[in-house]
Each structure stands twice: as structure tokens, then as C-alpha cells.
Amino acid sequence: MTENRLDKMRGELRRGVLVLAVLSSLKQPHYGYSLRKQLQDAGIDIDEGTLYPLVRRLAEQGLLDSEWQQAEGRERRYYQLSTLGGELLQQLTEEWQQLNGALGNLLEQL
């Protein structure tokens, strides 16, 4: 398999997982940089050009609450799961666990 094809497939795998990772990380309030750092520390590398539009889209969908706060002499927009976002996170987590278990079984058969 060529490296270019692998990169495309890797991107497809990551796309849905990133939503779950961001929602999970926003159980606690974060601003953009702190969210990106938490994800990177967990082993999920995400660039700003992907993260910020994703967070804005999730907020527009009502899954995140946001507010401006003064921190370290700067105003920062902090995001956190909304009630709706928490409900969706629970449902997506259950779905992820079922898919992960099924996929694990399939991969063990190889």
C-alpha cells in the first residue's frame, strides 16, 4: 500500500474518533490551546486547522457551551460540554465500545 493511500485511510479513521475525543475532553472547560495540549498529551495529535473548526461546529450544534473568561491577562473562549453534548457523548461512547469490541474480534481472527 502506498504511503499516500495509507495517509488517506488514516485520516478517515481519525475523523470520527476526533469528535469523540473532543467531546470527552470537554467534560472540563478548556480553551483552544489547552484542549489541543490535552489531546496531544493523550496521544491524539490534531492541528489547529482541524481542531478549531470542529469545536466551533460542535458549539453551533448545541453540543458545547462557551464563554469568554479572563485568564493570564487575556480573554479566552472556554468550551465545555452542554447537557445535550453530555447525552450524545454517552451514546457515542456506548457505540464506540460496541464497535471496538466487534472490530477487536474480527482482527483477532486474522
Side-chain angles (χ1 to χ4, degrees), residues 50-76:
T50 300
L51 179 61
Y52 296 142
L54 173 59
V55 169
R56 283 192 297 273
R57 189 172 69 247
L58 294 172
E60 289 169 4
Q61 293 171 354
L63 302 174
L64 303 177
D65 293 326
S66 69
E67 67 177 353
W68 288 97
Q69 293 181 12
Q70 190 78 17
E72 300 171 20
R74 300 177 53 183
E75 270 209 332
R76 294 188 168 128

Side-chain angles (χ1 to χ4, degrees), residues 3-87:
E3 196 65 29
N4 189 28
R5 186 175 296 157
L6 176 60
D7 287 343
K8 287 181 182 178
M9 295 300 234
R10 187 179 291 134
E12 287 184 35
L13 277 174
R14 288 175 43 90
R15 206 163 288 122
V17 173
L18 289 177
V19 170
L20 185 57
V22 166
L23 290 175
S24 182
S25 294
L26 288 172
K27 292 178 206 167
Q28 303 297 322
H30 283 282
Y31 61 96
Y33 177 78
S34 70
L35 174 59
R36 185 171 180 232
K37 178 97 172 82
Q38 180 180 6
L39 291 168
Q40 286 178 327
D41 290 348
I44 300 172
D45 192 27
I46 183 170
D47 62 52
E48 293 173 5
T50 300
L51 179 61
Y52 296 142
L54 173 59
V55 169
R56 283 192 297 273
R57 189 172 69 247
L58 294 172
E60 289 169 4
Q61 293 171 354
L63 302 174
L64 303 177
D65 293 326
S66 69
E67 67 177 353
W68 288 97
Q69 293 181 12
Q70 190 78 17
E72 300 171 20
R74 300 177 53 183
E75 270 209 332
R76 294 188 168 128
R77 188 171 203 149
Y78 281 78
Y79 293 91
Q80 186 169 4
L81 273 182
S82 67
T83 301
L84 181 62
E87 292 169 3

